[in-house]
Amino acid sequence: MNVLAIGCHPDDAKIACAVTLAKCVKRGDKVIVCYVSTGNLGHVIITHNPDDYMPNHTAVSRLVFDASFTATLPNYTDYPHVYSSNDGEPAKLVSIYYMDTLAGVNFNPSEHVDISDVIDLKIQMLECHESQLVWMREHDVIDFADMVKTCSRYRGYQCGAEYAEGFRQCQAYLKGTTKRLLP
Ligand SMILES: [Zn+2]
Protein backbone atom coordinates (compact mmCIF):
# COMPACT_ATOMS: atom_id res chain seq x y z
CA MET A 1 0.00 0.00 0.00
CA ASN A 2 1.09 3.57 -0.62
CA VAL A 3 0.70 6.09 2.21
CA LEU A 4 0.85 9.82 1.66
CA ALA A 5 1.08 12.05 4.76
CA ILE A 6 0.48 15.72 4.11
CA GLY A 7 1.31 18.26 6.76
CA CYS A 8 1.46 21.98 6.70
CA HIS A 9 4.82 22.25 8.52
CA PRO A 10 7.86 19.95 8.85
CA ASP A 11 7.09 19.00 12.45
CA ASP A 12 3.39 18.24 12.01
CA ALA A 13 3.73 14.63 10.94
CA LYS A 14 6.21 13.98 13.75
CA ILE A 15 3.79 15.33 16.33
CA ALA A 16 0.73 13.43 15.20
CA CYS A 17 1.64 10.34 13.18
CA ALA A 18 5.41 9.72 13.04
CA VAL A 19 5.29 6.29 14.59
CA THR A 20 2.28 5.22 12.56
CA LEU A 21 4.22 6.11 9.42
CA ALA A 22 7.27 4.21 10.71
CA LYS A 23 5.07 1.16 11.27
CA CYS A 24 3.71 1.50 7.72
CA VAL A 25 7.29 1.39 6.41
CA LYS A 26 8.03 -1.63 8.57
CA ARG A 27 5.12 -3.60 7.11
CA GLY A 28 6.30 -2.80 3.57
CA ASP A 29 4.29 0.27 2.63
CA LYS A 30 5.74 3.00 0.49
CA VAL A 31 5.46 6.13 2.64
CA ILE A 32 5.74 9.67 1.34
CA VAL A 33 5.72 12.65 3.68
CA CYS A 34 5.13 16.04 2.12
CA TYR A 35 3.84 19.44 3.02
CA VAL A 36 1.06 21.26 1.16
CA SER A 37 0.52 18.93 -1.80
CA THR A 38 -2.12 18.13 -4.40
CA GLY A 39 -2.51 14.78 -2.65
CA ASN A 40 -2.62 12.57 -5.74
CA LEU A 41 0.18 10.10 -4.99
CA GLY A 42 -1.11 7.73 -2.36
CA HIS A 43 -3.73 5.06 -1.47
CA VAL A 44 -4.04 6.56 1.99
CA ILE A 45 -3.84 9.95 2.72
CA ILE A 46 -3.14 11.30 6.19
CA THR A 47 -3.54 15.01 6.81
CA HIS A 48 -4.67 17.69 9.26
CA ASN A 49 -8.07 17.67 10.92
CA PRO A 50 -10.44 20.25 9.37
CA ASP A 51 -10.93 21.79 12.84
CA ASP A 52 -7.27 22.18 13.80
CA TYR A 53 -6.08 25.30 15.64
CA MET A 54 -4.01 27.02 12.96
CA PRO A 55 -5.37 28.50 9.69
CA ASN A 56 -2.50 26.96 7.71
CA HIS A 57 -3.45 23.49 8.98
CA THR A 58 -7.14 23.84 8.18
CA ALA A 59 -6.32 25.24 4.72
CA VAL A 60 -4.10 22.23 3.98
CA SER A 61 -6.81 19.86 5.19
CA ARG A 62 -9.32 21.44 2.83
CA LEU A 63 -6.88 21.48 -0.09
CA VAL A 64 -6.06 17.79 0.41
CA PHE A 65 -9.73 16.85 0.57
CA ASP A 66 -10.55 18.80 -2.59
CA ALA A 67 -7.48 17.63 -4.52
CA SER A 68 -8.06 13.97 -3.62
CA PHE A 69 -11.44 14.18 -5.34
CA THR A 70 -10.67 16.40 -8.31
CA ALA A 71 -7.62 14.23 -9.09
CA THR A 72 -10.07 11.42 -9.96
CA LEU A 73 -11.86 13.47 -12.61
CA PRO A 74 -10.79 12.65 -16.19
CA ASN A 75 -10.89 16.26 -17.40
CA TYR A 76 -8.19 17.20 -14.93
CA THR A 77 -5.73 15.00 -16.80
CA ASP A 78 -5.59 17.84 -19.31
CA TYR A 79 -3.46 19.53 -16.66
CA PRO A 80 -1.10 16.71 -15.65
CA HIS A 81 1.36 19.04 -13.94
CA VAL A 82 -1.41 20.04 -11.58
CA TYR A 83 -3.64 17.08 -10.78
CA SER A 84 -3.14 13.80 -12.60
CA SER A 85 -1.09 10.84 -11.50
CA ASN A 86 2.32 10.21 -13.06
CA ASP A 87 0.98 8.06 -15.89
CA GLY A 88 -1.52 10.68 -16.99
CA GLU A 89 -4.52 8.65 -15.79
CA PRO A 90 -6.98 10.07 -13.29
CA ALA A 91 -6.07 9.19 -9.71
CA LYS A 92 -8.09 6.54 -7.85
CA LEU A 93 -10.47 7.36 -5.03
CA VAL A 94 -8.61 7.02 -1.74
CA SER A 95 -9.43 7.14 1.95
CA ILE A 96 -8.35 10.12 4.05
CA TYR A 97 -7.31 9.90 7.69
CA TYR A 98 -7.15 13.03 9.81
CA MET A 99 -4.29 13.10 12.30
CA ASP A 100 -4.66 14.37 15.83
CA THR A 101 -4.92 18.06 16.63
CA LEU A 102 -2.45 19.79 18.91
CA ALA A 103 -3.24 18.67 22.47
CA GLY A 104 -6.09 16.59 21.05
CA VAL A 105 -8.48 19.53 21.21
CA ASN A 106 -11.85 18.89 19.53
CA PHE A 107 -10.66 15.54 18.17
CA ASN A 108 -12.25 12.16 18.85
CA PRO A 109 -10.23 9.37 17.19
CA SER A 110 -12.04 6.59 15.35
CA GLU A 111 -8.84 4.48 15.15
CA HIS A 112 -5.68 4.19 17.22
CA VAL A 113 -2.17 2.93 16.48
CA ASP A 114 -0.16 1.43 19.36
CA ILE A 115 3.18 3.28 19.58
CA SER A 116 4.26 2.03 23.02
CA ASP A 117 7.45 0.38 21.76
CA VAL A 118 8.73 3.52 20.03
CA ILE A 119 7.51 6.45 22.11
CA ASP A 120 11.08 7.44 23.01
CA LEU A 121 12.02 7.56 19.32
CA LYS A 122 9.02 9.79 18.62
CA ILE A 123 10.13 12.25 21.28
CA GLN A 124 13.71 12.16 19.97
CA MET A 125 12.43 12.98 16.47
CA LEU A 126 10.39 15.84 17.83
CA GLU A 127 13.37 17.24 19.75
CA CYS A 128 15.24 17.59 16.45
CA HIS A 129 12.93 20.55 15.79
CA GLU A 130 14.83 22.69 18.23
CA SER A 131 13.46 26.01 16.99
CA GLN A 132 9.92 24.70 17.44
CA LEU A 133 10.60 23.66 21.02
CA VAL A 134 11.93 27.15 21.74
CA TRP A 135 8.96 28.76 19.99
CA MET A 136 6.42 26.70 21.95
CA ARG A 137 8.22 27.45 25.20
CA GLU A 138 8.28 31.19 24.53
CA HIS A 139 4.94 31.63 22.73
CA ASP A 140 2.74 29.04 24.47
CA VAL A 141 4.78 28.61 27.69
CA ILE A 142 4.79 24.81 27.40
CA ASP A 143 7.26 21.94 27.26
CA PHE A 144 6.39 20.70 23.78
CA ALA A 145 8.00 17.26 24.10
CA ASP A 146 6.21 16.70 27.39
CA MET A 147 2.91 17.73 25.85
CA VAL A 148 3.27 15.33 22.92
CA LYS A 149 4.25 12.46 25.24
CA THR A 150 1.35 13.20 27.58
CA CYS A 151 -1.13 13.31 24.70
CA SER A 152 0.24 10.02 23.37
CA ARG A 153 -0.29 8.52 26.83
CA TYR A 154 -3.86 9.85 26.87
CA ARG A 155 -4.59 8.28 23.48
CA GLY A 156 -3.08 5.09 24.85
CA TYR A 157 -5.60 5.06 27.70
CA GLN A 158 -8.39 5.21 25.12
CA CYS A 159 -7.35 1.98 23.42
CA GLY A 160 -5.63 -0.12 26.07
CA ALA A 161 -2.07 0.69 25.00
CA GLU A 162 0.62 2.51 26.94
CA TYR A 163 1.04 5.11 24.20
CA ALA A 164 -0.92 5.59 20.97
CA GLU A 165 -1.54 7.92 18.05
CA GLY A 166 -5.15 8.69 17.18
CA PHE A 167 -6.76 9.15 13.75
CA ARG A 168 -10.22 9.93 12.44
CA GLN A 169 -11.29 8.52 9.13
CA CYS A 170 -12.92 11.03 6.80
CA GLN A 171 -16.54 9.92 6.47
CA ALA A 172 -17.44 11.77 3.28
CA TYR A 173 -19.10 9.99 0.36
CA LEU A 174 -16.74 7.54 -1.40
CA LYS A 175 -14.06 7.92 1.29
CA GLY A 176 -15.15 5.05 3.50
CA THR A 177 -13.67 1.55 3.61
CA THR A 178 -14.34 -1.65 5.49
CA LYS A 179 -10.61 -2.39 5.69
CA ARG A 180 -8.25 -1.46 8.49
CA LEU A 181 -5.63 0.50 6.55
CA LEU A 182 -3.58 1.85 9.44
CA PRO A 183 -0.93 -0.43 10.99
ZN1 LIG B 1 2.07 22.96 11.72
Side-chain angles (χ1 to χ4, degrees):
M1 186 163 60
N2 292 339
V3 180
L4 174 62
I6 305 173
C8 186
H9 307 111
D11 62 336
D12 290 327
K14 291 188 185 68
I15 295 167
C17 63
V19 177
T20 297
L21 295 177
K23 286 181 179 252
C24 288
V25 170
K26 199 171 178 181
R27 74 178 180 185
D29 294 347
K30 181 180 179 185
V31 174
I32 301 164
V33 180
C34 65
Y35 304 97
V36 190
S37 161
T38 58
N40 66 347
L41 295 175
H43 299 159
V44 171
I45 299 174
I46 299 174
T47 191
H48 292 287
N49 191 58
D51 296 328
D52 211 345
Y53 79 112
M54 182 182 279
N56 294 356
H57 288 194
T58 56
V60 167
S61 181
R62 185 74 224 181
L63 283 169
V64 168
F65 180 88
D66 290 348
S68 72
F69 180 77
T70 52
T72 68
L73 303 177
N75 287 345
Y76 276 89
T77 58
D78 292 341
Y79 305 95
H81 59 292
V82 178
Y83 282 116
S84 76
S85 56
N86 290 337
D87 58 8
E89 294 296 314
K92 292 180 172 50
L93 286 163
V94 296
S95 297
I96 294 177
Y97 290 83
Y98 297 123
M99 55 187 176
D100 217 336
T101 56
L102 208 58
V105 174
N106 207 20
F107 191 88
N108 194 18
S110 59
E111 295 184 39
H112 295 79
V113 174
D114 187 344
I115 63 167
S116 306
D117 54 339
V118 275
I119 183 64
D120 291 339
L121 178 63
K122 175 170 177 149
I123 300 305
Q124 283 172 25
M125 292 164 72
L126 183 67
E127 287 175 342
C128 292
H129 291 276
E130 202 174 328
S131 61
Q132 193 66 2
L133 296 180
V134 172
W135 163 254
M136 297 298 272
R137 190 163 50 240
E138 293 178 351
H139 182 263
D140 298 356
V141 197
I142 63 162
D143 180 336
F144 197 27
D146 177 68
M147 188 194 77
V148 169
K149 190 168 184 176
T150 301
C151 291
S152 299
R153 180 76 182 106
Y154 177 63
R155 293 303 183 206
Y157 275 120
Q158 295 178 331
C159 63
E162 192 173 2
Y163 294 94
E165 290 174 344
F167 298 87
R168 189 169 66 81
Q169 190 184 8
C170 174
Q171 293 294 324
Y173 174 63
L174 297 176
K175 295 294 185 193
T177 178
T178 57
K179 294 178 186 170
R180 164 84 182 191
L181 298 177
L182 296 172

